[in-house]
Amino acid sequence: MLDVRGLDVLYGDVQVVWDLSFTVDAGEIVTLLGANGAGKSTTLKTISGLLRPRRGHILFDGVSLETVPPDRIVGMGVLQVPEGRRLWPGMTVLENLRLGAYPKGARGEEGASLEAVFSLFPVLAERRGQLAGTLSGGEQQMLAIGRALMARPRLLMLDEPSLGLAPKVIERIFEVIQDVSRRGVTVLLVEQNAHLALSVANRAYILETGHLVRAGAGSELLADADVRRAYLGV
Protein backbone atom coordinates (compact mmCIF):
# COMPACT_ATOMS: atom_id res chain seq x y z
CA MET A 1 0.00 0.00 0.00
CA LEU A 2 2.74 2.47 1.01
CA ASP A 3 6.21 2.36 -0.52
CA VAL A 4 8.82 4.88 0.68
CA ARG A 5 12.04 4.81 -1.33
CA GLY A 6 15.31 6.63 -0.69
CA LEU A 7 13.71 9.51 1.23
CA ASP A 8 15.80 12.56 2.18
CA VAL A 9 14.03 15.33 4.13
CA LEU A 10 15.39 18.67 5.36
CA TYR A 11 14.21 21.38 7.74
CA GLY A 12 15.75 24.42 6.08
CA ASP A 13 19.41 23.53 5.61
CA VAL A 14 19.40 20.74 8.20
CA GLN A 15 18.88 17.20 6.93
CA VAL A 16 16.68 15.13 9.24
CA VAL A 17 15.96 11.96 7.25
CA TRP A 18 18.59 10.15 5.18
CA ASP A 19 17.91 7.64 2.40
CA LEU A 20 14.94 6.09 4.20
CA SER A 21 13.12 3.18 2.57
CA PHE A 22 10.29 1.09 4.01
CA THR A 23 6.95 -0.43 3.05
CA VAL A 24 3.54 -0.87 4.64
CA ASP A 25 1.32 -3.62 3.25
CA ALA A 26 -2.47 -3.44 3.29
CA GLY A 27 -3.90 -4.66 6.60
CA GLU A 28 -0.65 -4.36 8.56
CA ILE A 29 0.27 -2.47 11.68
CA VAL A 30 3.79 -1.14 11.09
CA THR A 31 5.67 0.89 13.68
CA LEU A 32 8.54 3.35 13.39
CA LEU A 33 10.70 3.39 16.53
CA GLY A 34 13.55 5.59 17.64
CA ALA A 35 14.61 8.24 20.12
CA ASN A 36 13.46 11.85 19.98
CA GLY A 37 14.97 13.50 16.92
CA ALA A 38 15.29 10.23 14.99
CA GLY A 39 13.10 11.55 12.14
CA LYS A 40 9.90 9.63 12.85
CA SER A 41 7.46 12.56 12.96
CA THR A 42 9.25 14.18 10.02
CA THR A 43 8.62 11.03 8.00
CA LEU A 44 4.88 11.11 8.75
CA LYS A 45 4.64 14.81 7.88
CA THR A 46 6.38 14.13 4.58
CA ILE A 47 3.98 11.31 3.72
CA SER A 48 1.09 13.67 4.59
CA GLY A 49 2.44 16.35 2.25
CA LEU A 50 3.18 18.85 5.03
CA LEU A 51 6.89 18.61 4.18
CA ARG A 52 8.44 17.97 0.78
CA PRO A 53 11.37 15.59 0.32
CA ARG A 54 14.61 16.74 -1.23
CA ARG A 55 15.00 13.31 -2.78
CA GLY A 56 13.15 10.01 -2.94
CA HIS A 57 9.69 8.70 -3.70
CA ILE A 58 6.50 8.10 -1.71
CA LEU A 59 4.04 5.80 -3.45
CA PHE A 60 0.53 5.10 -2.18
CA ASP A 61 -1.09 2.32 -4.19
CA GLY A 62 1.45 3.12 -6.89
CA VAL A 63 0.58 6.84 -7.01
CA SER A 64 3.41 9.27 -6.28
CA LEU A 65 2.64 11.64 -3.38
CA GLU A 66 5.70 13.92 -3.48
CA THR A 67 3.88 16.82 -5.17
CA VAL A 68 0.28 16.08 -4.15
CA PRO A 69 -1.31 18.74 -1.85
CA PRO A 70 -2.13 17.58 1.70
CA ASP A 71 -5.91 17.86 1.22
CA ARG A 72 -5.78 15.57 -1.80
CA ILE A 73 -3.65 13.08 0.14
CA VAL A 74 -6.35 13.03 2.81
CA GLY A 75 -8.93 12.51 0.08
CA MET A 76 -6.97 9.48 -1.11
CA GLY A 77 -7.41 7.91 2.32
CA VAL A 78 -4.10 8.79 4.04
CA LEU A 79 -4.88 10.31 7.47
CA GLN A 80 -2.52 11.45 10.21
CA VAL A 81 -3.33 11.87 13.91
CA PRO A 82 -0.63 14.38 14.88
CA GLU A 83 1.40 14.46 18.05
CA GLY A 84 -0.38 16.75 20.49
CA ARG A 85 -3.78 15.90 18.95
CA ARG A 86 -4.46 19.39 17.43
CA LEU A 87 -8.18 19.51 18.21
CA TRP A 88 -10.42 22.58 17.99
CA PRO A 89 -10.75 23.15 21.76
CA GLY A 90 -13.59 25.68 21.55
CA MET A 91 -15.78 23.35 19.52
CA THR A 92 -17.77 20.39 20.80
CA VAL A 93 -16.83 16.75 20.49
CA LEU A 94 -19.50 16.27 17.84
CA GLU A 95 -18.35 19.33 15.87
CA ASN A 96 -14.75 18.09 15.89
CA LEU A 97 -15.87 14.69 14.64
CA ARG A 98 -18.10 16.09 11.91
CA LEU A 99 -15.25 18.27 10.63
CA GLY A 100 -13.24 15.07 10.23
CA ALA A 101 -15.72 13.94 7.58
CA TYR A 102 -14.92 16.84 5.21
CA PRO A 103 -13.33 14.74 2.39
CA LYS A 104 -15.78 14.31 -0.47
CA GLY A 105 -15.79 10.52 -0.21
CA ALA A 106 -16.57 10.61 3.52
CA ARG A 107 -19.45 13.12 3.60
CA GLY A 108 -22.14 10.68 2.53
CA GLU A 109 -21.02 8.19 5.19
CA GLU A 110 -20.99 10.63 8.12
CA GLY A 111 -23.81 8.92 10.01
CA ALA A 112 -22.29 5.46 9.72
CA SER A 113 -18.86 6.83 10.61
CA LEU A 114 -20.22 8.53 13.73
CA GLU A 115 -21.85 5.29 14.81
CA ALA A 116 -18.57 3.41 14.32
CA VAL A 117 -16.56 6.01 16.27
CA PHE A 118 -19.06 6.01 19.14
CA SER A 119 -18.92 2.20 19.26
CA LEU A 120 -15.13 2.40 19.61
CA PHE A 121 -15.25 5.27 22.11
CA PRO A 122 -18.52 5.26 24.08
CA VAL A 123 -17.22 8.13 26.22
CA LEU A 124 -17.28 10.39 23.14
CA ALA A 125 -20.97 9.61 22.63
CA GLU A 126 -21.60 10.57 26.26
CA ARG A 127 -19.67 13.83 25.84
CA ARG A 128 -20.73 14.75 22.32
CA GLY A 129 -21.94 18.19 23.43
CA GLN A 130 -18.89 18.96 25.59
CA LEU A 131 -16.16 21.34 24.43
CA ALA A 132 -13.09 19.41 23.26
CA GLY A 133 -10.76 21.59 25.33
CA THR A 134 -12.43 20.45 28.55
CA LEU A 135 -11.83 16.72 27.96
CA SER A 136 -9.13 14.77 29.76
CA GLY A 137 -5.92 13.98 27.87
CA GLY A 138 -7.04 10.43 27.17
CA GLU A 139 -10.45 11.57 25.93
CA GLN A 140 -8.78 14.14 23.67
CA GLN A 141 -6.60 11.42 22.16
CA MET A 142 -9.69 9.29 21.55
CA LEU A 143 -11.34 12.28 19.88
CA ALA A 144 -8.30 12.90 17.67
CA ILE A 145 -8.35 9.27 16.51
CA GLY A 146 -12.11 9.40 16.05
CA ARG A 147 -11.85 12.57 13.96
CA ALA A 148 -9.38 10.84 11.63
CA LEU A 149 -11.64 7.78 11.36
CA MET A 150 -14.50 10.04 10.25
CA ALA A 151 -12.55 10.63 7.01
CA ARG A 152 -12.77 6.89 6.20
CA PRO A 153 -8.99 6.30 6.12
CA ARG A 154 -7.33 3.45 4.31
CA LEU A 155 -3.97 4.26 5.94
CA LEU A 156 -4.08 5.73 9.47
CA MET A 157 -0.83 7.27 10.72
CA LEU A 158 -0.59 7.80 14.49
CA ASP A 159 2.13 10.05 15.93
CA GLU A 160 2.87 9.30 19.60
CA PRO A 161 -0.70 8.37 20.62
CA SER A 162 0.34 7.40 24.17
CA LEU A 163 2.23 10.63 24.93
CA GLY A 164 1.38 11.99 28.37
CA LEU A 165 -1.39 9.50 29.11
CA ALA A 166 -2.00 7.32 32.16
CA PRO A 167 -1.08 3.62 31.83
CA LYS A 168 -4.69 2.37 31.77
CA VAL A 169 -5.61 4.90 29.08
CA ILE A 170 -2.57 3.85 27.04
CA GLU A 171 -3.74 0.23 27.22
CA ARG A 172 -7.14 1.29 25.91
CA ILE A 173 -5.61 3.32 23.06
CA PHE A 174 -3.58 0.29 21.94
CA GLU A 175 -6.64 -1.93 22.13
CA VAL A 176 -8.35 0.53 19.81
CA ILE A 177 -5.40 0.50 17.40
CA GLN A 178 -5.76 -3.27 17.11
CA ASP A 179 -9.53 -2.98 16.75
CA VAL A 180 -9.15 -0.40 13.97
CA SER A 181 -6.74 -2.75 12.22
CA ARG A 182 -9.20 -5.62 12.47
CA ARG A 183 -11.79 -3.39 10.81
CA GLY A 184 -9.58 -3.20 7.73
CA VAL A 185 -7.63 0.03 8.28
CA THR A 186 -3.87 -0.16 7.71
CA VAL A 187 -1.86 1.51 10.51
CA LEU A 188 1.52 3.24 10.53
CA LEU A 189 2.46 3.94 14.15
CA VAL A 190 5.12 6.24 15.61
CA GLU A 191 5.46 5.53 19.30
CA GLN A 192 7.94 6.02 22.17
CA ASN A 193 6.50 3.07 24.12
CA ALA A 194 8.56 0.50 22.25
CA HIS A 195 7.26 -2.51 24.16
CA LEU A 196 3.61 -1.82 23.37
CA ALA A 197 4.36 -0.77 19.80
CA LEU A 198 6.30 -3.97 19.07
CA SER A 199 3.64 -6.04 20.81
CA VAL A 200 0.93 -4.94 18.34
CA ALA A 201 3.03 -4.43 15.19
CA ASN A 202 3.34 -6.92 12.35
CA ARG A 203 6.63 -5.26 11.38
CA ALA A 204 8.86 -2.52 12.75
CA TYR A 205 11.58 -0.17 11.55
CA ILE A 206 14.09 1.46 13.90
CA LEU A 207 15.54 4.90 13.11
CA GLU A 208 18.60 6.56 14.59
CA THR A 209 19.39 10.18 13.69
CA GLY A 210 17.39 9.89 10.49
CA HIS A 211 18.89 6.60 9.33
CA LEU A 212 17.22 3.20 9.20
CA VAL A 213 19.26 0.84 11.38
CA ARG A 214 17.02 -2.18 12.00
CA ALA A 215 13.92 -3.79 10.54
CA GLY A 216 11.98 -6.95 11.21
CA ALA A 217 8.83 -8.54 12.57
CA GLY A 218 7.51 -6.92 15.74
CA SER A 219 7.82 -10.14 17.71
CA GLU A 220 11.35 -10.70 16.41
CA LEU A 221 12.57 -7.26 17.49
CA LEU A 222 10.73 -7.53 20.81
CA ALA A 223 12.81 -10.62 21.58
CA ASP A 224 16.10 -9.20 20.27
CA ALA A 225 18.62 -8.62 23.07
CA ASP A 226 20.13 -5.48 21.50
CA VAL A 227 16.71 -3.93 20.93
CA ARG A 228 15.64 -4.78 24.47
CA ARG A 229 18.73 -3.10 25.91
CA ALA A 230 18.49 0.00 23.71
CA TYR A 231 14.73 0.62 23.66
CA LEU A 232 13.09 -1.40 26.42
CA GLY A 233 15.56 -0.81 29.24
CA VAL A 234 16.07 -4.56 29.73
Side-chain angles (χ1 to χ4, degrees):
M1 178 178 280
L2 181 70
D3 187 2
V4 175
R5 304 178 185 173
L7 200 65
D8 286 354
V9 186
L10 287 76
Y11 279 112
D13 295 329
V14 179
Q15 188 159 349
V16 180
V17 174
W18 304 75
D19 194 27
L20 177 61
S21 297
F22 67 93
T23 60
V24 181
D25 293 335
E28 284 192 306
I29 299 175
V30 171
T31 186
L32 301 180
L33 297 178
N36 287 332
K40 309 181 303 297
S41 295
T42 297
T43 300
L44 295 194
K45 290 177 182 177
T46 307
I47 295 168
S48 294
L50 301 174
L51 296 173
R52 295 300 181 191
R54 184 182 72 172
R55 187 179 69 87
H57 300 285
I58 305 166
L59 303 174
F60 181 69
D61 275 349
V63 178
S64 175
L65 300 184
E66 296 99 72
T67 60
V68 178
D71 62 311
R72 281 186 54 202
I73 292 175
V74 169
M76 294 167 67
V78 180
L79 272 293
Q80 180 176 346
V81 179
E83 181 181 346
R85 300 179 278 273
R86 305 292 181 89
L87 300 172
W88 289 281
M91 300 178 74
T92 66
V93 166
L94 183 58
E95 288 168 337
N96 271 270
L97 291 173
R98 294 186 67 187
L99 282 170
Y102 85 89
K104 185 176 180 180
R107 292 172 198 165
E109 303 292 333
E110 183 178 309
S113 297
L114 268 175
E115 185 177 338
V117 169
F118 287 154
S119 72
L120 275 174
F121 301 116
V123 68
L124 297 183
E126 297 169 8
R127 304 187 189 282
R128 68 182 71 192
Q130 187 171 329
L131 295 182
T134 66
L135 299 176
S136 69
E139 291 164 349
Q140 288 188 17
Q141 186 63 64
M142 294 174 191
L143 179 54
I145 295 172
R147 180 182 59 184
L149 293 175
M150 290 293 295
R152 314 287 287 190
R154 297 180 58 220
L155 174 64
L156 181 64
M157 302 191 296
L158 300 165
D159 194 354
E160 302 288 4
S162 76
L163 188 65
L165 302 183
K168 284 197 173 296
V169 179
I170 292 172
E171 288 179 17
R172 176 60 188 144
I173 293 296
F174 273 81
E175 288 171 0
V176 167
I177 291 170
Q178 293 175 288
D179 197 352
V180 166
S181 175
R182 285 191 290 268
R183 295 181 185 210
V185 179
T186 304
V187 176
L188 178 58
L189 172 65
V190 162
E191 178 54 56
Q192 286 281 352
N193 190 321
H195 186 276
L196 275 176
L198 291 173
S199 296
V200 303
N202 300 102
R203 293 186 298 112
Y205 296 89
I206 298 178
L207 304 181
E208 289 183 6
T209 59
H211 297 81
L212 177 64
V213 295
R214 293 289 300 273
S219 57
E220 170 192 324
L221 294 179
L222 190 59
D224 184 276
D226 292 336
V227 172
R228 289 171 67 80
R229 279 193 296 269
Y231 297 98
L232 305 180
V234 179

